[in-house]
Amino acid sequence: MDNIRLNTDGTIDQIRKGDQAALLSCLARQVELSPGYTLRSFFRMLDAYETLVHLNAFFPDLLDQFHRGPEDGCRVDGIDWLILEKTVEMVGFPGEPRLDIYRRFTGWCGEKSVQIRDYQMDMLLDTEVRLGKLRHVIFGDEVDVFEFDTVFTLFELIEGIGWELGFHGTPRECQIRR
């Protein structure tokens, strides 16, 4: 699979701004993040390649929040980085078994996962984004969870982050952890 590199300034290597055909053709390509890639870098990418905004219904509102947010210093105590992970889970046994595949975008502090839903998106803009592993869970048994190296496509990155951030919305006044 061909890789594409996402840069901290929001550009995608080898894809010119406005080149929609090239942009759409790279949605299924494997993503590589430049060192220091942050949530702010992600929103700069959406700004630079406006076609990507149409991939998620939450993006127009999130971009508006991004533009109104502070220029820097957008980090919170207790979150070292943000991570996008995949999970493959076998569920429904006994009965009708099925396989659920989903992405999770969460915070990470030390050795543990931290929910980010309690924070406004603009509070996390300068937090580093990382690509995680694939977790394989068999019939909800958390004892037998296997982790594997995996790849993420540009589409999976965009949709995974957009989906999670679409659930943010706690009024700033109600947030205890600042």
Side-chain angles (χ1 to χ4, degrees):
M1 181 182 280
D2 292 333
N3 292 5
I4 55 167
R5 184 179 187 90
L6 306 185
N7 300 306
T8 58
D9 65 357
T11 60
I12 302 172
D13 279 357
Q14 303 173 3
I15 308 291
R16 289 186 340 271
K17 295 178 184 176
D19 189 348
Q20 291 185 38
L23 182 62
L24 293 176
S25 71
C26 74
L27 285 174
R29 290 172 65 185
Q30 180 179 339
V31 169
E32 177 185 320
L33 302 179
S34 295
Y37 192 87
T38 63
L39 192 56
R40 185 179 303 277
S41 306
F42 176 80
F43 282 101
R44 287 176 178 157
M45 179 183 69
L46 294 181
D47 253 353
Y49 302 94
E50 63 186 51
T51 300
L52 298 177
V53 175
H54 300 286
L55 294 176
N56 188 295
F58 299 119
F59 283 152
D61 184 51
L62 290 169
L63 265 176
D64 185 49
Q65 291 175 45
F66 167 69
H67 290 127
R68 287 184 283 124
E71 297 284 324
D72 58 28
C74 300
R75 293 187 53 90
V76 295
D77 292 336
I79 296 180
D80 298 331
W81 65 82
L82 302 169
I83 191 163
L84 183 64
E85 300 171 302
K86 285 184 191 178
T87 300
V88 174
E89 185 170 2
M90 296 170 66
V91 295
F93 184 82
E96 291 293 321
R98 71 176 192 275
L99 189 66
D100 289 344
I101 302 171
Y102 53 92
R103 290 168 300 278
R104 183 172 83 134
F105 187 60
T106 187
W108 204 260
C109 183
E111 296 292 318
K112 66 179 184 166
S113 178
V114 177
Q115 287 295 326
I116 60 174
R117 289 183 182 168
D118 295 335
Y119 301 101
Q120 290 291 319
M121 178 273 299
D122 66 355
M123 298 170 75
L124 303 168
L125 286 172
D126 296 316
T127 309
E128 180 185 358
V129 174
R130 296 183 183 180
L131 300 176
K133 295 188 178 264
L134 178 137
R135 296 178 65 233
H136 185 232
V137 181
I138 301 172
F139 302 123
D141 186 359
E142 291 293 325
V143 174
D144 290 326
V145 173
F146 302 97
E147 289 191 348
F148 303 93
D149 288 332
T150 191
V151 298
F152 289 87
T153 65
L154 178 59
F155 179 78
E156 288 175 318
L157 176 104
I158 292 168
E159 182 58 20
I161 292 174
W163 178 257
E164 178 65 34
L165 294 181
F167 292 99
H168 290 230
T170 305
R172 189 176 294 277
E173 298 77 23
C174 297
Q175 295 170 355
I176 333 174
R177 300 178 224 150
R178 276 199 238 180

